Amino acid sequence: MEKYTKHTSVAALMNRSNVDTDQIIAKQFLKKVERTGFGVHLFHDWRYLEDGVTPNPDFELNNPKFEGAKVLVAGDNFGCGSSREHAPWAIDDYGFNTVISTSFADIFYNNCFKNGILPIVVDADTLKALMAEIESNEGVSFTVDLENQTVSTPGGIEVKFEIDGFRKNNLLNGLDDIGLTLKQTDKITSYETKHKEKFPWLWAS
Amino acid sequence: MAKTMYEKIWDTHFVHQEEGQAPLMYVDRHLMHEVTSPQAFEGLKIAGRPIRNTHSILATLDHCVPTKLADRINLPDPIGAKQVKTMMDNCEEHGLVLYDMESKNNGIIHVVVPEHGFVHPGMTTVCGDSHTATHGAFGALAFGIGTSEVEHVMATQCLPQSKSKTMLVKVDGQLSKFSTAKDIALAIIGEIGTAGGNGFVIEYAGEAITALSMQGRMTLCNMAIESGARAGLVAPDQKTYDFLEGKEFAPKGEQWDQALAYWKSLPSDEGAEYDLVIELRAEDIAPQVTWGTSPEQVVPVDKTVPAPSDFELEGKQIACKSALDYMGLTPGTKMTDIPVDFVFLGSCTNSRIEDFRAAAEVAKGTKVPANVTAIAVPGSYQVKEQAEQEGLDKIFTAAGWEWREPGCSMCLAMNGDQLKPGERCASTSNRNFEGRQGKGGRTHLVSPAMAAATAAAGRFVDIRELTN
């Protein structure tokens, strides 16, 4: 996984709450057996007109001022619904590496970290201020500094955000979660031995 | 110290915590389907990692599978067919138990797993599927994971996990005979919202929960995820033990007694503390219908479509307006005046035998209007066979319903069963998101009995008035 480094990038605005994973990546694109190529399908039903190809000029992310955006600022409870990791795959493939909201659905939040995406939780007033700054400018770039856990804007907003230490570390260093767990194989094996003695029926066939 | 059931299961499955890392939780059961697993198998292959415990895995084909018999033999969609084939190849390569389309055990993962007694009280259970919460009905800590985590569990049998907060949802009193587990689930989501459970594991308790059958508890826990909760739990009791006894993967002989003793130690201790407690009265829960595009946008069936001004928060007002536009509804319209084009009875929420019995009781002797399509999709071949033995299929077909093969079908509309733009559907599934049942389709979530009454009338019906 790529390391997450400090960056200053265009911020895009999606002022909707409860954006669900069905919207992020629609069902018809879940049949692929690969992990790549989902970006073109991100927000498909909102993003394209009836023909499924022509960009919908009314869809917020089609606004030219958001071109090249890496930061997505969205309403409350982003990523609710299905567990499909195709959602963060699509977000990543489209070019975002950061999503800012007041809250995220649990599974989506976990899935982000597995794909080098940083989900940032801010309070409602901060979100409002960030949204206002994007709205009132023709393309604004936010600086995201994971090391110091801050988001800063040209308008002078400086937000400190919370994140689990281990998640931060893994993201900063682009570490492979599975590899880290496998380093504990002896601990897992010794746990398993005791677990088998205590719950033998779990292994009976 | 008094512990909650969640804390007991957490403690039992704690493996190790390395400094600077999250605690590792051991995983007892790993459920799989074709949509969220192929990239995980590929990841294992690339890294050259074996599966740690193939014995913990049970797999099925459910999301992509057609519900028309002819289409199951030759899958019409080549991309879906490739996904199905990939799943079959992966299971064969690793020696995993797979209930493929030709198996008499085939069906929706969250329906077939309980049928075979694969998940027991106190187990940690995961699946690349958010509705894994279903198995909380057995007092198992069960939750959905992403594909990277599917790979993680296959490789290590563990997951790095942070401890959740605990919420007790207590429903005392007696449910009216017209309201069901589905109505409890929707009423709770209406109360706490779709983000209300974020960061929590919910334990459902109280007289009305204890009174639910195992199938009702599955419906309830299934929708824990729709309130944002990591998992839902119901304490195991005699109903749980009776349900499991004799099932294929249930403990046998001496091990049954050993397991039983353990299961009886699981319920939360007297005086255990929760981070949040919500209380509802069962008598207050009327049959529910959603009107919007989020499960929290729900009202009792005898109420009207709300207006944005009915909501205090600006965000909810915006969401209401956008939902009304999408759903083509006007504030003040009586829910019972809304006509439907389609009725879907099925999904991992409501496709078990009791759901079909409840719907058949209402459907008996009725006739679906010519302008309405109604499909009944059993959750598994076992449910289908049982329903047919009881003659329920005849009741549905006589009433003008289509009787289909099992699968997820129109719950997420991946398999070709879907709404056309603008079509309105009464659905026993779990999500009324925009486009969930087909682009432009309008979904209203209801219980099975409500779905059957709606199919007969061609509009929503307050089933409490039917028997008068």
Side-chain angles (χ1 to χ4, degrees), chain A residues 44-61:
Chain A
H44 180 275
D45 287 1
W46 289 340
R47 182 171 158 192
Y48 302 106
L49 294 176
E50 284 305 310
D51 62 5
V53 187
T54 315
N56 173 6
D58 295 333
F59 178 57
E60 48 265 49
L61 296 189

Side-chain angles (χ1 to χ4, degrees), chain A residues 11-201:
Chain A
L13 173 62
M14 192 165 221
N15 192 2
R16 314 183 191 221
S17 48
N18 294 322
V19 172
D20 58 72
T21 51
D22 274 78
Q23 296 311 327
I24 297 173
I25 185 80
K27 62 192 135 275
Q28 62 268 36
F29 308 114
L30 303 184
K31 294 173 188 168
K32 287 172 63 166
V33 295
E34 299 86 19
R35 262 176 205 258
T36 49
F38 290 99
V40 67
H41 306 308
L42 181 72
F43 297 119
H44 180 275
D45 287 1
W46 289 340
R47 182 171 158 192
Y48 302 106
L49 294 176
E50 284 305 310
D51 62 5
V53 187
T54 315
N56 173 6
D58 295 333
F59 178 57
E60 48 265 49
L61 296 189
N62 288 337
N63 187 331
K65 78 176 189 176
F66 296 145
E67 209 174 301
K70 278 185 179 301
V71 179
L72 178 63
V73 179
D76 193 42
N77 198 29
F78 189 84
C80 62
S82 145
S83 67
R84 58 188 72 162
E85 198 164 319
H86 312 67
W89 292 339
I91 286 172
D92 171 58
D93 194 37
Y94 182 89
F96 291 118
N97 69 356
T98 309
V99 188
I100 304 177
S101 178
T102 39
S103 74
F104 293 91
D106 186 44
I107 306 175
F108 176 81
Y109 187 77
N110 286 333
N111 282 341
C112 282
F113 289 101
K114 312 286 179 190
N115 294 284
I117 300 167
L118 173 63
I120 298 176
V121 179
V122 297
D123 63 43
D125 289 340
T126 305
L127 188 77
K128 219 170 173 176
L130 293 173
M131 285 183 165
E133 188 166 338
I134 300 173
E135 243 170 7
S136 56
N137 284 287
E138 271 311 308
V140 60
S141 290
F142 291 177
T143 301
V144 184
D145 182 346
L146 175 56
E147 182 73 52
N148 293 304
Q149 297 174 219
T150 57
V151 178
S152 44
T153 74
I157 301 171
E158 176 98 13
V159 194
K160 183 97 183 156
F161 62 86
E162 294 298 318
I163 180 172
D164 279 332
F166 63 90
R167 283 187 156 134
K168 175 179 168 180
N169 186 50
N170 292 1
L171 216 48
L172 281 173
N173 297 299
L175 295 179
D176 165 21
D177 265 11
I178 300 178
L180 285 172
T181 301
L182 282 172
K183 284 188 182 163
Q184 308 305 323
T185 298
D186 54 334
K187 305 274 192 331
I188 299 168
T189 305
S190 92
Y191 170 88
E192 213 165 44
T193 310
K194 280 185 247 156
H195 198 59
K196 269 183 190 169
E197 281 166 20
K198 206 171 168 194
F199 308 107
W201 62 90

Side-chain angles (χ1 to χ4, degrees), chain B residues 141-170:
Chain B
L141 179 63
F143 53 90
I145 57 176
T147 299
S148 295
E149 291 175 309
V150 169
E151 184 181 338
H152 201 128
V153 175
M154 284 200 281
T156 70
Q157 211 58 36
C158 291
L159 271 182
Q161 284 289 294
S162 303
K163 204 166 175 180
S164 300
K165 292 179 285 182
T166 54
M167 186 193 305
L168 177 69
V169 175
K170 201 157 183 276

Side-chain angles (χ1 to χ4, degrees), chain B residues 230-246:
Chain B
R230 185 146 193 74
L233 284 169
V234 174
D237 61 10
Q238 196 57 46
K239 284 182 192 172
T240 321
Y241 316 143
D242 290 346
F243 184 97
L244 286 170
E245 194 165 10

